């Protein structure tokens, strides 16, 4: 059954839901749905409703709420992926696959070794594209919520944002080379259901020693993800998979 995200919270809805935006075209022109067809609508606070289409107009699809469902497919801990801006479409890959694996939000940032430097006038279009990728990946993977993609920031701004998280880690390839094995497990042990984790990853050239030192001063655990050196687009997916196993499948 097709799933659509609506910009409403459950508490503000009674018996009807309106689907708007690009999804109207998808319903009416691509899938050619009609009144009486069934869809699933997901509110922005994570609830799902089984709905029946009542009316399709040019700018919205009106739906009756048949029943609210109680399935929760979100990770029990909230994970934010902070990525040093990588080259090409790697960030799009991180957002798409990271959404499928359960990330709650993404923070692109300008690291010292980031080759890509986004122009201010292009950030708006980039954000729209990244958020659309997250939305489509959420629909495909049956997420309850769409992750947020935050506007790219400078490294010093990331340091300020870090204060809002319960546990903080930074992936550092030098730790992997030195055989560090315990800090990722230590971070997981500090997490409980409902707590938050911020994970920082460098761009292709990695983070500098100075950047890692500043993160350590703020309480970040410096982690390796095993003896193999992972690419900037692979490491976040490794972490999210490990979180899912630790908090969902092994219990």
């Amino acid at each position: 059954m097709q799933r659509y995200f609506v910009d409403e919270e459950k508490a503000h809805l009674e018996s009807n839901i309106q689907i708007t935006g690009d999804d109207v075209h998808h319903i009416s022109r691509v899938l050619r749905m009609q009144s009486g067809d069934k869809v699933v609508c997901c509110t922005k606070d994570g609830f799902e409703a089984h709905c029946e289409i009542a009316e399709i107009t040019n700018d919205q699809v009106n739906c009756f709420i048949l029943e609210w469902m109680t399935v929760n497919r979100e990770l029990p801990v909230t994970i934010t992926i902070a990525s040093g801006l990588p080259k090409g479409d790697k960030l799009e890959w991180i957002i798409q696959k990271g959404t499928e694996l359960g990330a709650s939000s993404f923070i692109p940032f300008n690291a010292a070794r980031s080759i890509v430097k986004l122009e201010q006038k292009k950030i708006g279009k980039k954000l729209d594209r990244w958020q659309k990728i997250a939305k489509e990946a959420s629909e495909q993977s049956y997420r309850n919520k769409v992750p947020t993609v935050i506007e790219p920031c400078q490294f010093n701004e990331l340091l300020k944002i870090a204060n809002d998280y319960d546990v903080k880690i930074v992936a550092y390839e030098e730790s992997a080379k030195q055989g560090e094995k315990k800090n990722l497990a230590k971070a997981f042990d500090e997490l409980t259901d409902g707590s938050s984790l911020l994970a920082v990853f460098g761009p292709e050239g990695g983070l500098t020693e100075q950047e890692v030192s500043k993160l350590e001063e703020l309480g970040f655990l410096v982690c390796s993800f095993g003896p193999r050196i992972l690419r900037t687009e692979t490491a976040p997916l490794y972490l999210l998979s490990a979180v899912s196993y630790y908090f969902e499948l092994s219990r």
Side-chain angles (χ1 to χ4, degrees):
M1 191 176 297
Q2 289 293 320
R3 300 167 63 82
Y4 298 98
F5 287 89
V6 298
D7 194 26
E8 295 279 356
E9 295 183 355
K10 181 182 178 183
H12 299 153
L13 297 168
E14 296 182 359
S15 58
N16 297 84
I17 292 180
Q18 283 75 44
I19 300 171
T20 58
D22 293 341
D23 291 332
V24 176
H25 177 268
H26 186 258
I27 289 171
S28 62
R29 301 298 182 186
V30 179
L31 298 181
R32 298 189 180 278
M33 288 186 175
Q34 300 177 352
S35 299
D37 287 338
K38 308 296 193 302
V39 295
V40 173
C41 292
C42 304
T43 63
K44 67 178 182 180
D45 52 344
F47 293 93
E48 294 184 10
H50 183 203
C51 299
E52 178 180 314
I53 294 175
E55 179 188 24
I56 300 174
T57 68
N58 289 333
D59 56 0
Q60 69 180 28
V61 177
N62 299 312
C63 302
F64 292 124
I65 299 172
L66 300 177
E67 63 174 332
W68 289 99
M69 297 181 284
T70 57
V71 178
N72 181 16
R73 301 181 184 84
E74 298 300 302
L75 287 173
V77 295
T78 60
I79 312 293
T80 294
I81 302 297
S83 296
L85 281 169
K87 296 183 294 184
D89 60 357
K90 292 178 182 177
L91 184 59
E92 295 183 1
W93 171 270
I94 292 169
I95 292 170
Q96 182 186 62
K97 302 307 176 187
T99 296
E100 292 179 28
L101 290 168
S104 297
S105 57
F106 300 90
I107 306 176
F109 69 95
N110 281 308
R113 292 174 177 162
S114 289
I115 296 173
V116 174
K117 304 294 182 183
L118 289 180
E119 298 178 27
Q120 190 64 37
K121 63 182 181 181
K122 294 182 179 180
I123 288 178
K125 287 185 177 180
K126 284 286 188 182
L127 267 178
D128 288 344
R129 175 165 175 76
W130 293 335
Q131 198 63 62
K132 183 178 180 181
I133 289 171
K135 176 180 177 292
E136 292 175 350
S138 296
E139 292 169 346
Q140 184 274 324
S141 58
Y142 280 39
R143 290 282 301 269
N144 293 84
K145 296 180 179 180
V146 179
T148 301
V149 184
I150 297 171
E151 182 175 323
C153 64
Q154 301 302 318
F155 181 74
N156 287 338
E157 295 176 79
L158 177 65
L159 297 180
K160 297 176 183 178
I161 294 171
N163 293 322
D164 297 332
Y165 291 84
D166 300 314
V167 181
K168 303 177 283 285
I169 67 172
V170 53
Y172 191 41
E173 66 180 46
E174 294 303 319
S175 294
K177 292 175 182 177
Q178 295 165 12
E180 190 282 316
K181 297 180 180 179
K182 297 180 179 179
N183 280 349
L184 185 60
K186 181 180 178 181
F188 286 179
D189 287 341
E190 293 179 6
L191 289 167
T192 57
D193 287 3
S195 58
S196 59
L197 171 68
L198 173 62
V200 175
F201 301 87
E204 288 86 354
L207 296 167
T208 65
E209 290 184 15
Q210 291 80 6
E211 287 172 325
V212 174
S213 294
K214 288 183 179 180
L215 293 169
E216 281 189 285
E217 290 172 6
L218 288 178
F220 277 75
L221 290 170
V222 180
C223 298
S224 77
F225 295 164
R228 292 162 295 281
I229 306 302
L230 304 178
R231 292 177 181 268
T232 185
E233 70 271 29
T234 308
L237 309 186
Y238 175 99
L239 172 67
L240 289 164
S241 299
V243 168
S244 176
Y245 176 78
Y246 187 90
F247 288 97
E248 295 178 318
L249 301 184
S250 68
R251 296 185 175 183

